[in-house]
Amino acid sequence: MMNALFVLLCFLVTASDVLAPGIEIGIKDGKISCLGTSLPRDASTEIIDAKGAYVTPGGVDSHVHFQQDNSPTGDNWVTGSRSAIAGGTTTVLAFASQLKTEESVIPCITEYRTRAKGRSFCDYGFHLILTNPTPTIMSTEMPLLISQGITSVKLYMTYEPLKLGDSQLLNVLMSARVLGFTTMVHAENSDIISLITNRLEAAGHTDPYFHAISRPQIAENEATYRIISLAELTDTPILIVHMSSEIAMEHVRKAQTRMLPIHAETCPQYLFLLSERLKGNEKDKFEGAKCVCSPPLRHDPRDLEAMWRGIANGTFTTFSSDHAPSTYDHAGGKKLGLKDGIMRYRNIPNGVPGVETRLPLLFDFAGREKDSRLSLQRFVQLTSSDPAKLYGLEGTKGNIAPGYDADLVIWHPEAELEEGVVIEQKNLHHGVDYTPYEGMIVRNWPRYTILRGKKVWDRDNGGILGTQVDGKFLQRGKGRIVVGKTGQEVKGMLAGERDYWY
Ligand code: DUC
Ligand code: ZN
Ligand code: ZN
């Protein structure tokens, strides 16, 4: 497409700068061609006047679940990706999940890629959930996937159908170190959770609220410390996903101060929601099921504060939605946990929706005059530029600079939305029947979302303008380390000691 499109008069925000007002962004063939003032134009030049509003890079949501076998209700690719662009996200990284019985990951990757093809409003890629990392998969299939642009895996330390034991974790980490794929880890201690769950069930405590009781912070803390230790032993960079616990976060922080390449992610639910939400309401106690996610919502406002500190001080590298959609009022959705009038939290599908609300919720606290919790630059790092770097999209996504894809969020001018925007289910574009953020007010919302130079969302004029064939599969490169470095000796080991066995 030969187009010349200018975004005029904006406050341009990148991971490093908020530029002086009035910068123009030139776009050609879907890429940013130049930044400047008074850029040359002719009658064919399409102009978007940002009216002095902030412009940030299109959101990169590096953790979403769309159309996975284990959550058949909620979103498919069309509704999930539509919701993404309406909230300013132009790239999502979703999951293809291997079954433990599968000796090859190729069929599962092929199947999940087919589900997305021609059905995505935004650009997309896949992480592989590895549940059966056989030697053949690691030595033969992983290099193939990497060559096809699937350069990251997620490993689980809990859930019977998904979890890996320590020796499997070690083997995958060593393979990651050699092959260079990015490793995400769900860190919760499986045995702690199943012991408590069995005992709660025996005592008749099965309401949704007990989901939070069954997964105490210590389960996250222990598993986090353990996976950091395994990563240090094998000298492998990792990212610990959806962190919710202060002590676990402190393990990460301490590792980072030792320059270990330990990255961490948190999500909106761990900044805004507390476990009391699992109690539902007077009319319907089971409504608490809407907020069942793992790790669970924590009990105390101080827990939320701790996560905000990690957002501000750099402990977290990414802020993802972990959009894990399950319809509430559906026999195959959250209502799986309600049978014959009996609530059983262990049968409730895990997860909350949030791909559309992720950016507005965090932006609400970024660079504002009063009570700011993070800078605008840090907002861009967390929501766009750092996930792009970590997952092999540097140079293409996550920045507003010549050569990058022209993926932009143009916010409303700050003075325009005096009352803010109320988050309401009826205004969202996902396929789920609720939002856990119902009624919350945010100060701004993406006015336009631009995907590779095309206006795909115009909040004031028609809403969704894009189509489900706009999104393309991203052939990602290898991710790069954002925090720390490899190549360090392990404390207490002799220099070179690892070479005897590695
Ligand atoms: N892990 C996720 O990443 N998402 C939803 C539930 C879970 O356990
Ligand atoms: Zn997880
Ligand atoms: Zn997830």
Side-chain angles (χ1 to χ4, degrees):
M1 177 178 49
M2 275 297 287
N3 67 342
L5 190 147
F6 289 164
V7 178
L8 278 172
L9 291 180
C10 60
F11 262 115
L12 200 153
V13 187
T14 67
S16 57
D17 298 295
V18 182
L19 297 187
I23 296 289
E24 298 171 2
I25 304 169
I27 298 171
K28 204 166 177 209
D29 299 333
K31 300 242 177 227
I32 295 168
S33 55
C34 55
L35 304 177
T37 51
S38 308
L39 296 179
R41 69 206 66 182
D42 60 28
S44 69
T45 307
E46 189 187 337
I47 306 279
I48 300 175
D49 186 356
K51 299 198 273 185
Y54 289 118
V55 176
T56 54
V60 176
D61 193 340
S62 52
H63 185 157
V64 304
H65 302 268
F66 290 167
Q67 221 174 327
Q68 275 181 233
D69 286 343
N70 62 357
S71 52
T73 69
D75 279 311
N76 54 34
W77 269 91
V78 172
T79 58
S81 63
R82 184 181 70 192
S83 188
I85 59 165
T89 287
T90 45
T91 296
V92 294
L93 299 181
F95 295 88
S97 191
Q98 179 199 21
L99 294 175
K100 261 201 174 154
T101 47
E102 288 173 340
E103 297 280 328
S104 164
V105 295
I106 306 302
C108 118
I109 288 288
T110 309
E111 168 60 23
Y112 276 86
R113 283 191 64 170
T114 307
R115 290 179 193 180
K117 194 168 189 243
R119 296 191 188 89
S120 185
F121 284 78
C122 63
D123 288 350
Y124 63 94
F126 285 101
H127 313 287
L128 171 68
I129 294 176
L130 259 178
T131 58
N132 182 20
T134 65
T136 310
I137 290 173
M138 299 321 291
S139 62
T140 314
E141 296 191 352
M142 279 313 300
L144 189 68
L145 292 195
I146 291 167
S147 73
Q148 294 172 359
I150 296 170
T151 56
S152 46
V153 301
K154 181 178 177 190
L155 312 177
Y156 283 82
M157 297 171 79
T158 188
Y159 298 124
E160 223 38 68
L162 304 172
K163 74 176 181 185
L164 304 183
D166 287 357
S167 61
Q168 289 174 304
L169 292 167
L170 282 165
N171 278 315
V172 177
L173 290 174
M174 288 197 287
S175 169
R177 180 75 174 95
V178 173
L179 297 176
F181 57 83
T182 307
T183 305
M184 312 159 81
V185 184
H186 177 132
E188 284 185 293
N189 179 302
S190 184
D191 287 350
I192 291 178
I193 295 166
S194 54
L195 177 134
I196 300 178
T197 299
N198 291 336
R199 294 180 73 91
L200 283 172
E201 188 138 305
H205 298 308
T206 58
D207 297 0
Y209 178 68
F210 288 97
H211 174 75
I213 304 292
S214 72
R215 307 175 90 103
Q217 294 200 26
I218 198 162
E220 183 178 343
N221 304 343
E222 185 280 328
T224 298
Y225 186 76
R226 181 157 37 107
I227 197 65
I228 291 172
S229 304
L230 303 189
E232 180 176 9
L233 180 72
T234 56
D235 194 25
T236 311
I238 55 168
L239 172 118
I240 302 168
V241 291
H242 47 50
M243 293 197 72
S244 69
S245 157
E246 180 172 13
I247 292 177
M249 185 182 80
E250 280 170 0
H251 293 323
V252 170
R253 186 80 178 157
K254 278 193 194 137
Q256 291 173 343
T257 58
R258 293 203 287 128
M259 289 299 285
L260 295 175
I262 307 297
H263 306 87
E265 168 199 90
T266 194
C267 314
Q269 51 272 33
Y270 304 119
L271 298 183
F272 292 101
L273 307 177
L274 288 168
S275 63
E276 65 190 11
R277 294 289 299 273
L278 291 165
K279 292 179 178 163
N281 54 50
E282 270 173 23
K283 267 204 251 149
D284 184 3
K285 214 170 167 189
F286 187 70
E287 274 221 17
K290 290 179 176 175
C291 289
V292 166
C293 58
S294 293
L297 303 182
R298 300 306 184 187
H299 302 309
D300 197 291
R302 283 172 299 189
D303 298 319
L304 306 181
E305 281 306 315
M307 295 303 103
W308 277 111
R309 275 199 300 283
I311 285 279
N313 71 15
T315 308
F316 293 118
T317 310
T318 64
F319 178 72
S320 309
S321 67
D322 193 6
H323 181 86
S326 280
T327 307
Y328 173 67
D329 198 10
H330 192 297
K334 295 281 186 184
K335 291 260 162 97
L336 279 169
L338 182 64
K339 210 161 175 216
D340 303 325
I342 298 173
M343 297 183 259
R344 277 230 166 75
Y345 73 80
R346 74 151 85 198
N347 297 333
I348 298 171
N350 253 293
V352 293
V355 69
E356 189 167 344
T357 44
R358 175 185 74 117
L359 293 184
L361 281 168
L362 193 65
F363 191 80
D364 197 28
F365 289 90
R368 66 184 188 187
E369 275 173 28
K370 266 180 72 185
D371 303 326
S372 184
R373 286 180 176 273
L374 70 161
S375 66
L376 286 159
Q377 293 92 327
R378 185 95 190 94
F379 169 83
V380 169
Q381 290 163 21
L382 283 158
T383 59
S384 186
S385 68
D386 281 355
K389 289 172 187 165
L390 189 69
Y391 294 110
L393 292 169
E394 192 169 19
T396 311
K397 302 290 187 188
N399 200 353
I400 303 177
Y404 277 77
D405 281 359
D407 294 349
L408 304 172
V409 180
I410 304 172
W411 298 83
H412 284 271
E414 290 279 297
E416 199 170 86
L417 296 174
E418 264 180 12
E419 312 278 292
V421 175
V422 186
I423 298 177
E424 291 175 286
Q425 164 64 14
K426 68 177 167 62
N427 294 329
L428 299 180
H429 297 77
H430 56 199
V432 193
D433 55 355
Y434 74 97
T435 167
Y437 308 104
E438 186 73 35
M440 280 178 62
I441 299 175
V442 289
R443 82 169 198 261
N444 209 325
W445 198 275
R447 179 169 162 233
Y448 300 114
T449 304
I450 312 288
L451 172 67
R452 283 181 278 107
K454 177 178 172 180
K455 204 190 280 175
V456 291
W457 164 253
D458 180 345
R459 185 165 176 269
D460 297 331
N461 297 291
I464 301 283
L465 303 181
T467 69
Q468 65 178 61
V469 294
D470 287 339
K472 69 166 194 209
F473 172 74
L474 296 167
Q475 173 105 20
R476 290 182 289 130
K478 289 182 187 174
R480 83 158 162 91
I481 294 169
V482 178
V483 175
K485 59 180 187 178
T486 53
Q488 302 185 84
E489 295 300 329
V490 182
K491 247 192 186 167
M493 276 189 178
L494 300 172
E497 180 177 330
R498 209 168 9 202
D499 297 340
Y500 288 113
W501 55 270
Y502 205 162

